[in-house]
Amino acid sequence: MKRILLSVFFLTLFVAARAQFPMGGALGGGAKKASVTGRIVATIIDSVSRKPIDYATVTLLKVSDNKSVNGGVTDEKGRIVLQNVAPDSYKLAIGFMGYNTKTVLVKTTPEKPDNNIGNVILAPSANSLKDVTVVGQKAMIENKVDRMVYNAEADITNAGGDATDVMRKVPMLSVDASGNVQLRGGAVRVLINGKPSGTMANSVADALKMIPAEQIKSVEVITSPSAKYDAEGSGGIINIITKKNNAQGISGSVNASAGTRQNNGNVSLNAKSGRLGFTSNVGGIYAYPQESKVLSFNQTQTAGGLSTIQSTGLSNWTRKGLNGTAGLDYDINNYHNVSTNVKVSSFSNGGPGSSDILLNQVLTRNTSDMDMGFNNLDWTMDYRKTSKREGEELVVSGQATFGRNPTDFANRLVVPGVPDVITTGNNRGKNNEYTGQIDYTYPFSKKVILEAGAKGIFRTIISDILDDPSRNFDYSQDVASAYGVVTFPVGKKVTAKAGLRAEYTDIGATSGANPTIKNDYFNLFPSVVLSQTLKGMSTIKVSYNRRLQRPSLFYLNPFENRSDQFNIMRGNPALNPELSDNFEVGYNTFIKGSVINASLFYRTTGDIIESIISPITENGITRNLTTYANIGRSPSYGLNLFGSYNPKPKWTLMSNIALNTYEVNNQVTGVNTGTFLNYNIFARSAYALNKGWSTEVWGVLNSPRRTFQGKTDAMYFYGAAVKKEILNKKASIGINVLNPFNRDLNIKTVNTTAVSVQSQDIYYPLRSFGLNFSYNFGKLKFTQKKSIKNDDLKQGDQGAGGVGGMGGGTNR
């Protein structure tokens, strides 16, 4: 019955939104799109060498109001083509580091919509730093009303890396040694082209390593998501926009990397003929098994006295994976487009391990074997309709996701004088998700825009425990939502974007022989952003939004992972969602070619979800159980400061400093953790040498991290790379190193309760040396289309899986 009610609710919202579209151009005073559009073509040439300048920034501005309407960067031949240009009078502004900026007047008419202005000559500046304008810098970092955009394709040092390397260069983000990403100390939801992915849901760190940097067009950091987005919690949203082919013919790339720690490869092939486009990508990763060491200590006060367990564990875990995508895109005519995409991924992580254990002063030994799999298939279908009215758009999307996540382990505990104790576990996790969505955009004018839509998500999560079916877990979660967002001016210089999202959630869960859990709740999520443009292309932004994070399978699954039988892990199906209120003030400016972005924020989160430990006694042995709970309310204040500076035309210095407080209050238990300061510092230096050579060094420092019961020590890691462009800049070859002077990254975590202490000292094998190769072929021109965005689930920390296994295996 609940599915019928939700379907009727969603269908009603769908019809209501669709009914708006036939209004066409009848409403509002917005200008119609010109019936004829053309293109402007130019080639940028160095005045001295007479060679083309690649990666020069080109901006098209209307003469009437000096506002930017189009732009991009030149290709390896110094050429740029600006498409869909309406007839008018324009200024073409061309800039590049070390050159004087040049402006060229360009005019197109309905009779002659195309204009090829030929070669545009740029002269080197006498004092390059003083003469560089913000035009060139703006191509790297863009600050928009509700997000910051890092244009990865404009950063020539990205070749040969992967998405993790790109993320380290994005303002406001911090990336740990495993590749896990945080935004201002909070959890984030990572989307690819606006779509969720089952691969990302299982292990963000592994999924990012599968995306070559050359395939990334830009990265959007959305700290103040509007009501249009699903109500994700704390940190915000990261949206990776990949390059897609929109040119006639065939294009693609080949990327390969071999190293002492891991190897990866990726091949993409894109084709377009007439109105039909095809995209495909196949990639793989293999991380060598390397010895990891874990020292652990558990002490518990019991009725019979003090119980202690000490162990030294060694493991040799392997990480490997394959993924592939294939998509079709067809333009029915100028106003109708359909597309479909299939993404398949398969990852596994695990291996053998052994531990020497001192169990209450009795020496024992445990041998183990662990294997975790993450297998997903995502299929999407999209229909997009536009009209003659500039900006009017209707998008109808559907998505089906099928996830299979097996976990198998086996332990043999050898205790002198008693029979061996064998423990096994076999879990088959299933996560099926079906989504229908409609989004409609209507511009009443150029400055007043309405966005509205509706969405239905139907999730089914099943955990089949093969060795104990009585503990099977079935979980269903259905979400119906609708939103409205309006963008409008407030005065002459302030832009406002305000919206409201309504979500209804219906939950049912059955765990073993326990009664079925039923729950439903309705929430409203307001959002507002005010942005003002100041002198010197500076902007200031003030925002507020409310977000919600529902626990995903990682947190809910009651399957007991006993791969480390003295540190058992189990999910909690009774978790409530987190609810947070977020306030932010941001400032962005350009000073003599430098980019500076600063932001202050306050976030308060209720029912925050964290891991907790509690002692349990089985067969006379006391050990720790790790599970998850809603531990209380967490207020957090924070500061983020990002800067980019060019001491010389080809030398870029970049740094990001993030500070945030951690505190948890629980009025029921009366517990207050006190206030602690977390920080993350990232620094990068990149230098582009002559003849296609470039170098880069970077480093990351993370402060100690607090949780409700524990503390994790500080960590730091660093790397360097050298790259050489070859084959007329169509290919590159490079060498990179990570932590060359330290084999292991040592991280110690201590958790304490009133009656127990749990300590883990982990040595991750991080040092690596690698050789990478990248080759691009064909003519590339990229576009982006709107689609489904499921970004409402809190994701589990898959950190240890990103750098190899731990002794005895402790991940789930």
Side-chain angles (χ1 to χ4, degrees):
M1 183 64 182
K2 65 180 182 182
R3 293 183 180 270
I4 297 176
L5 291 175
L6 285 169
S7 299
V8 171
F9 175 68
F10 174 70
L11 181 62
T12 302
L13 295 174
F14 180 96
V15 173
R18 181 65 182 89
Q20 301 178 64
F21 199 64
M23 292 187 291
L27 289 178
K32 299 288 185 64
K33 183 186 292 185
S35 58
V36 177
T37 60
R39 65 179 186 175
I40 294 176
V41 183
T43 303
I44 314 304
I45 304 294
D46 185 292
S47 64
V48 178
S49 66
R50 293 291 167 176
K51 292 182 178 181
I53 301 175
D54 54 353
Y55 294 103
T57 302
V58 180
T59 305
L60 187 67
L61 305 101
K62 295 183 73 171
V63 172
S64 59
D65 55 14
N66 207 40
K67 289 187 177 180
S68 174
V69 295
N70 207 329
V73 294
T74 57
D75 60 17
E76 68 275 3
K77 297 181 180 180
R79 190 169 184 264
I80 188 167
V81 181
L82 302 179
Q83 302 279 11
N84 300 319
V85 178
D88 210 332
S89 295
Y90 299 98
K91 293 188 294 184
L92 203 65
I94 304 106
F96 191 65
M97 299 299 295
Y99 292 83
N100 291 316
T101 298
K102 188 167 187 176
T103 301
V104 179
L105 293 176
V106 184
K107 185 176 182 180
T108 62
T109 64
E111 295 76 21
K112 189 179 179 182
D114 297 336
N115 193 338
N116 188 340
I117 63 178
N119 294 340
V120 178
I121 309 301
L122 283 192
S125 59
N127 187 331
S128 59
L129 183 58
K130 291 183 179 180
D131 289 341
V132 168
T133 69
V134 299
V135 176
Q137 287 295 317
K138 194 174 181 181
M140 185 75 71
I141 305 293
E142 293 181 76
N143 191 44
K144 298 186 177 181
V145 64
D146 62 344
R147 70 195 64 196
M148 177 172 284
V149 181
Y150 167 72
N151 291 312
E153 65 178 352
D155 191 340
I156 63 174
T157 65
N158 281 328
D162 58 32
T164 305
D165 303 311
V166 174
M167 291 295 181
R168 290 192 175 102
K169 305 170 187 178
V170 179
M172 294 186 284
L173 300 186
S174 60
V175 184
D176 67 16
S178 305
N180 295 299
V181 183
Q182 279 195 332
L183 173 56
R184 301 189 305 195
V188 295
R189 179 64 164 170
V190 180
L191 308 176
I192 300 178
N193 297 319
K195 301 175 189 278
S197 170
T199 304
M200 286 289 180
N202 291 321
S203 175
V204 171
D206 283 334
L208 291 177
K209 289 182 176 66
M210 298 295 295
I211 306 174
E214 290 84 355
Q215 295 299 314
I216 299 177
K217 179 178 185 289
S218 61
V219 179
E220 299 178 341
V221 181
I222 308 172
T223 60
S224 304
S226 73
K228 183 174 182 177
Y229 291 91
D230 289 330
E232 188 205 358
S234 58
I237 295 172
I238 300 172
N239 188 22
I240 300 173
I241 307 299
T242 61
K243 299 175 179 179
K244 294 185 180 180
N245 186 22
N246 194 36
Q248 299 295 320
I250 298 175
S251 63
S253 67
V254 178
N255 303 274
S257 178
T260 59
R261 190 168 63 93
Q262 69 178 38
N263 308 277
N264 58 66
N266 186 275
V267 178
S268 67
L269 179 65
N270 308 302
K272 188 173 179 67
S273 178
R275 297 177 179 178
L276 180 65
F278 169 77
T279 61
S280 64
N281 182 82
V282 177
I285 184 172
Y286 178 79
Y288 298 112
Q290 296 189 55
E291 189 174 80
S292 303
K293 182 170 69 172
V294 175
L295 307 178
S296 66
F297 173 78
N298 289 273
Q299 181 174 281
T300 306
Q301 182 66 50
T302 66
L306 202 62
S307 174
T308 61
I309 303 173
Q310 292 177 271
S311 70
T312 300
L314 299 174
S315 67
N316 284 276
W317 279 23
T318 301
R319 185 181 68 250
K320 55 187 177 181
L322 292 171
N323 70 8
T325 62
L328 291 174
D329 188 283
Y330 183 68
D331 293 317
I332 301 172
N333 54 38
N334 290 338
Y335 304 116
H336 299 267
N337 171 274
V338 292
S339 61
T340 185
N341 183 273
V342 175
K343 178 180 176 62
V344 180
S345 59
S346 177
F347 293 92
S348 64
N349 190 25
S354 63
S355 300
D356 291 321
I357 304 168
L358 194 61
L359 181 60
N360 292 328
Q361 307 308 311
V362 177
L363 183 62
T364 63
R365 182 171 179 81
N366 185 76
T367 58
S368 63
D369 198 8
M370 177 73 176
D371 184 42
M372 297 181 294
F374 310 101
N375 308 303
N376 288 275
L377 185 148
D378 302 320
W379 176 42
T380 62
M381 286 286 294
D382 305 301
Y383 165 73
R384 179 172 177 264
K385 180 182 179 181
T386 58
S387 72
K388 293 183 178 180
R389 171 176 289 275
E390 179 71 41
E392 186 176 23
E393 182 180 69
L394 174 72
V395 180
V396 181
S397 304
Q399 176 168 298
T401 296
F402 308 96
R404 299 295 181 266
N405 308 313
T407 300
D408 301 304
F409 66 84
N411 289 290
R412 178 184 293 270
L413 181 64
V414 180
V415 182
V418 300
D420 293 354
V421 179
I422 299 175
T423 306
T424 61
N426 306 96
N427 178 234
R428 294 296 178 266
K430 301 177 183 179
N431 189 350
N432 295 340
E433 185 173 298
Y434 306 92
T435 305
Q437 178 175 336
I438 180 171
D439 298 283
Y440 177 65
T441 303
Y442 185 83
F444 290 95
S445 67
K446 291 182 178 180
K447 295 183 178 181
V448 180
I449 301 171
L450 170 67
E451 298 172 277
K455 186 174 186 177
I457 308 174
F458 304 93
R459 295 187 176 103
T460 301
I461 296 173
I462 298 174
S463 174
D464 289 332
I465 303 174
L466 303 185
D467 49 351
D468 188 1
S470 65
R471 295 190 293 119
N472 287 350
F473 174 62
D474 293 344
Y475 182 89
S476 66
Q477 181 189 93
D478 300 328
V479 183
S481 59
Y483 73 88
V485 180
V486 180
T487 303
F488 56 95
V490 180
K492 295 182 178 180
K493 295 184 178 181
V494 178
T495 300
K497 190 170 187 177
L500 181 66
R501 185 180 189 89
E503 290 192 355
Y504 171 73
T505 305
D506 184 67
I507 294 174
T510 302
S511 180
N514 297 322
T516 299
I517 301 172
K518 298 288 291 182
N519 190 20
D520 69 302
Y521 46 88
F522 177 80
N523 298 95
L524 294 175
F525 301 97
S527 68
V528 61
V529 179
L530 297 175
S531 178
Q532 180 176 359
T533 302
L534 307 175
K535 293 182 179 180
M537 296 189 69
S538 300
T539 57
I540 187 169
K541 177 178 68 175
V542 179
S543 67
Y544 163 77
N545 60 70
R546 172 169 286 187
R547 316 296 294 165
L548 174 141
Q549 273 189 328
R550 303 176 181 90
S552 64
L553 176 61
F554 180 86
Y555 293 92
L556 297 169
N557 192 349
F559 169 67
E560 289 189 354
N561 187 336
R562 293 174 177 256
S563 55
D564 180 349
Q565 56 185 302
F566 296 106
N567 293 285
I568 305 167
M569 300 185 68
R570 182 177 68 198
N572 179 6
L575 288 174
N576 293 320
E578 298 178 352
L579 188 65
S580 64
D581 291 279
N582 307 276
F583 302 85
E584 179 187 358
V585 178
Y587 176 74
N588 191 82
T589 188
F590 301 87
I591 303 175
K592 294 183 178 180
S594 300
V595 180
I596 298 177
N597 178 271
S599 61
L600 295 169
F601 71 90
Y602 170 70
R603 177 177 64 240
T604 176
T605 305
D607 281 332
I608 193 167
I609 299 171
E610 281 192 10
S611 63
I612 60 171
I613 64 169
S614 58
I616 59 173
T617 300
E618 297 176 331
N619 301 321
I621 299 176
T622 300
R623 61 198 83 192
N624 278 311
L625 170 69
T626 299
T627 186
Y628 303 92
N630 298 107
I631 59 173
R633 177 167 293 276
S634 176
S636 179
Y637 300 86
L639 164 69
N640 192 90
L641 181 63
F642 168 81
S644 178
Y645 172 61
N646 292 85
K648 294 183 178 181
K650 296 183 179 181
W651 185 13
T652 300
L653 298 176
M654 185 181 295
S655 182
N656 191 79
I657 301 174
L659 306 172
N660 70 278
T661 61
Y662 174 84
E663 179 184 356
V664 174
N665 301 309
N666 192 317
Q667 294 182 352
V668 176
T669 62
V671 174
N672 188 312
T673 61
T675 303
F676 302 96
L677 179 66
N678 294 329
Y679 60 83
N680 172 270
I681 301 174
F682 167 72
R684 168 183 177 254
S685 173
Y687 199 96
L689 304 171
N690 296 327
K691 298 182 180 180
W693 287 91
S694 61
T695 63
E696 176 181 348
V697 294
W698 57 268
V700 173
L701 172 63
N702 287 332
S703 71
R705 299 285 161 167
R706 300 281 180 167
T707 61
F708 184 63
Q709 292 181 335
K711 175 186 175 182
T712 299
D713 284 349
M715 70 179 79
Y716 67 91
F717 40 98
Y718 49 91
V722 177
K723 186 194 70 174
K724 174 67 169 70
E725 293 178 332
I726 57 177
L727 302 179
N728 295 321
K729 297 185 178 182
K730 288 185 174 294
S732 68
I733 188 168
I735 298 174
N736 56 67
V737 298
L738 177 63
N739 271 35
F741 304 112
N742 302 88
R743 177 192 181 273
D744 298 319
L745 179 66
N746 181 214
I747 303 175
K748 185 176 182 178
T749 300
V750 179
N751 294 312
T752 60
T753 70
V755 296
S756 63
V757 176
Q758 180 193 64
S759 172
Q760 280 194 332
D761 202 1
I762 305 171
Y763 293 81
Y764 293 111
L766 193 62
R767 180 170 59 196
S768 68
F769 301 86
L771 176 68
N772 56 73
F773 172 78
S774 177
Y775 176 70
N776 298 313
F777 59 89
K779 180 181 179 181
L780 301 177
K781 179 179 178 60
F782 310 110
T783 59
Q784 170 195 359
K785 296 184 183 297
K786 293 184 178 180
S787 193
I788 277 182
K789 305 176 181 68
N790 284 359
D791 41 34
D792 60 311
L793 291 182
K794 181 179 178 71
Q795 304 304 309
D797 180 8
Q798 304 289 336
V803 293
M806 302 185 297
T810 59
N811 285 358
R812 179 166 57 85

